[in-house]
Amino acid sequence: MGATPSLIEREARLHAEAVAEQARKDVELAQAALIKIIQANQKSQQKAAEAQLAAQAQVYKEMVATLQAERASREAVQVQTHKEMIAVVQAECAAIQKRANMDIQSAQEQVEKSQERDATADQEATDALAEERVKMANAAKEEAERSLKEGIQPVVTPTPEEISAARRRARYHEHLFHIAVTGVAGGGKSSLINAFRGLRNKDTGSAATGVTETMLVTARYASPNMEQAYAWYDIPGADTLKIPDWQYFTAQELYAFDGIIVLFDNHFTMTDIAILANCRRFEISTYIVRSKADQHIRNIMDDMGYESEDRKKTLYQAAQEQFIQQTRQSVKNNLESAHMPDQRVYIVSNKTMLDVVKEKQPENIIHEVELLNDLEWSRTGPGEEYVAVC
């Protein structure tokens, strides 16, 4: 028979069980307290995050308000300038009309006087002269009205003081070559500037990129490599600003730069033509550049179709030649329509340009090296030793 537990042993066991039960309850209370602390911390962090987001939203609203105010101010100045120029053209039209009326009246008087004469030959000559003067006067009137209708305005030439002020705003430095990159929004201006500077779009210090313009004011970027004596300027696209084609060059103060890259993707615009015409007037170096070449060439290859990798290289060469020929012919036609001389067109890929700048050996080079060499030649000038960039 087993031994019967003594009274002391039973009391000891009951006491141990009571202590264990109390310990379990203490653990549950501690866990509940810990959960409350964690929830309180989460609420505190959530409130802090909400406060931070609210502060950021306020800063963003203030930035937007500032940009809108600046834009409204610029638009007001541009509208006033446009009105003043329209008034000038209207005054010129009125003067032309007045001169035309005087010529017509003078011609009619001569016809009346000639009618008093008996010489038929003299009268026919006078009639012809009067008719010619009427045609010239009407033609001058029609030309003035056409100019006003199409927005062709008198040439605006900035004063030396205005050029100096524009260069101060652009932080112009005598030892740098200042290049402005123009083109429509989404045409690849920022990506090309990053490639020139040896940066990828996501690198620190790179120009912001996107389908739409990220800024409505000119942005200046220096070359990270001190051996590259360039300053790059990302000019807002004309399609993002309420500026007529003929006024874009002056409104953006493009006369302050040493060279201008006219970058286009699909269409060569009237603004591009106006920029090139004004650059000729100011003797500023210009470079017509077709961007996103790799993308366009791939599209042509897709249209051609290829079934194996063996034909890929051959088709690429054919697509590249076709793209170059089509682009050059399109630009040539646009320049001829504007009565301007033909000009070299550089066809580049931003990715290939970046590889060339970083001294890699890209496979599909088109005109990237030639563009860099021509920029360097314009910077150093024919009087200095020319060093090819490759």
Side-chain angles (χ1 to χ4, degrees):
M1 294 179 64
T4 302
S6 66
L7 178 61
I8 294 175
E9 289 174 344
R10 287 197 300 270
E11 289 178 352
R13 186 172 60 254
L14 292 173
H15 178 72
E17 290 175 353
V19 170
E21 179 65 19
Q22 183 61 41
R24 185 185 62 78
K25 292 180 179 180
D26 291 343
V27 169
E28 289 178 351
L29 290 173
Q31 289 177 340
L34 179 60
I35 291 172
K36 290 182 179 181
I37 292 173
I38 292 173
Q39 291 176 344
N41 286 338
Q42 289 176 343
K43 290 181 179 180
S44 176
Q45 292 174 356
Q46 182 178 0
K47 289 182 179 180
E50 292 175 352
Q52 184 177 4
L53 288 175
Q56 291 175 347
Q58 181 62 29
V59 171
Y60 177 75
K61 288 181 180 179
E62 293 175 355
M63 290 175 63
V64 170
T66 301
L67 288 174
Q68 290 176 341
E70 291 177 355
R71 181 175 181 179
S73 177
R74 289 170 64 91
E75 290 178 354
V77 173
Q78 291 161 4
V79 169
Q80 181 61 31
T81 302
H82 184 54
K83 289 181 179 179
E84 293 173 356
M85 290 188 174
I86 289 178
V88 171
V89 174
Q90 288 176 338
E92 291 182 353
C93 288
I96 292 173
Q97 180 66 58
K98 183 177 180 180
R99 289 195 298 270
N101 293 336
M102 292 176 64
D103 288 341
I104 293 172
Q105 183 178 358
S106 175
Q108 290 175 343
E109 290 176 354
Q110 292 184 16
V111 171
E112 292 175 357
K113 290 181 180 178
S114 66
Q115 289 176 348
E116 297 177 357
R117 299 186 226 168
D118 294 331
T120 303
D122 289 345
Q123 180 162 349
E124 289 179 353
T126 303
D127 288 344
L129 177 61
E131 184 178 354
E132 183 65 23
R133 287 190 174 183
V134 169
K135 288 181 179 179
M136 291 175 62
N138 288 334
K141 176 185 176 183
E142 291 174 359
E143 177 64 20
E145 291 175 346
R146 184 189 66 80
S147 296
L148 179 61
K149 181 179 179 181
E150 296 181 359
I152 301 175
Q153 301 297 327
V155 175
V156 178
T157 302
T159 64
E161 291 77 14
E162 288 173 332
I163 294 177
S164 296
R167 288 186 168 180
R168 285 195 298 272
R169 284 189 288 271
R171 290 182 287 167
Y172 189 96
H173 194 285
E174 292 296 333
H175 298 295
L176 297 178
F177 191 70
H178 305 77
I179 304 175
V181 182
T182 67
V184 298
K189 298 192 300 296
S190 300
S191 295
L192 181 61
I193 289 175
N194 289 335
F196 278 133
R197 299 168 66 220
L199 299 175
R200 295 171 299 179
N201 289 341
K202 300 300 182 182
D203 287 345
T204 302
S206 63
T209 59
V211 176
T212 58
E213 289 294 90
T214 55
M215 293 293 290
L216 297 178
V217 294
T218 297
R220 182 184 190 275
Y221 300 96
S223 295
N225 186 352
M226 296 302 295
E227 296 179 359
Q228 295 180 348
Y230 296 98
W232 306 94
Y233 296 82
D234 191 346
I235 309 298
D239 54 333
T240 63
L241 304 172
K242 294 180 180 179
I243 300 177
D245 298 336
W246 56 268
Q247 196 181 5
Y248 181 80
F249 181 90
T250 303
Q252 296 301 313
E253 299 180 338
L254 298 183
Y255 48 77
F257 302 107
D258 302 311
I260 294 178
I261 292 177
V262 177
L263 183 70
F264 73 104
D265 180 9
N266 293 315
H267 303 290
F268 204 61
T269 67
M270 288 303 298
T271 301
D272 299 329
I273 293 291
I275 290 172
L276 293 171
N278 279 285
C279 286
R280 286 174 59 83
R281 187 160 60 94
F282 284 88
E283 297 182 352
I284 298 174
S285 300
T286 55
Y287 313 87
I288 302 176
V289 178
R290 180 73 184 268
S291 65
K292 304 180 181 179
D294 47 358
Q295 175 182 329
H296 293 294
I297 292 173
R298 283 197 302 270
N299 292 339
I300 295 176
M301 289 178 65
D302 291 339
D303 292 338
M304 292 179 173
Y306 60 92
E307 299 175 354
S308 65
E309 291 297 321
D310 296 337
R311 294 193 58 203
K312 186 174 182 180
K313 186 173 182 180
T314 302
L315 280 177
Y316 181 88
Q317 294 296 331
Q320 183 187 93
E321 292 176 4
Q322 178 179 332
F323 178 61
I324 292 173
Q325 182 180 2
Q326 290 175 348
T327 300
R328 287 178 171 172
Q329 188 61 47
S330 175
V331 172
K332 182 178 180 180
N333 293 341
N334 279 277
L335 292 174
E336 285 181 354
S337 299
H339 307 291
M340 293 181 63
D342 194 13
Q343 187 170 335
R344 170 69 187 275
V345 180
Y346 302 87
I347 298 174
V348 303
S349 162
N350 294 337
K351 182 180 182 301
T352 303
M353 179 65 75
L354 176 61
D355 289 342
V356 171
V357 171
K358 294 175 77 66
E359 299 182 353
K360 296 182 179 180
Q361 298 296 327
E363 180 179 356
N364 299 317
I365 295 178
I366 308 178
H367 300 143
E368 290 82 6
V369 172
E370 296 174 35
L371 176 57
L372 288 172
N373 284 342
D374 289 346
L375 287 172
E376 183 68 9
W377 187 90
S378 297
R379 184 184 71 83
T380 59
E384 303 181 25
E385 181 181 0
Y386 170 62
V387 180
V389 179
C390 59

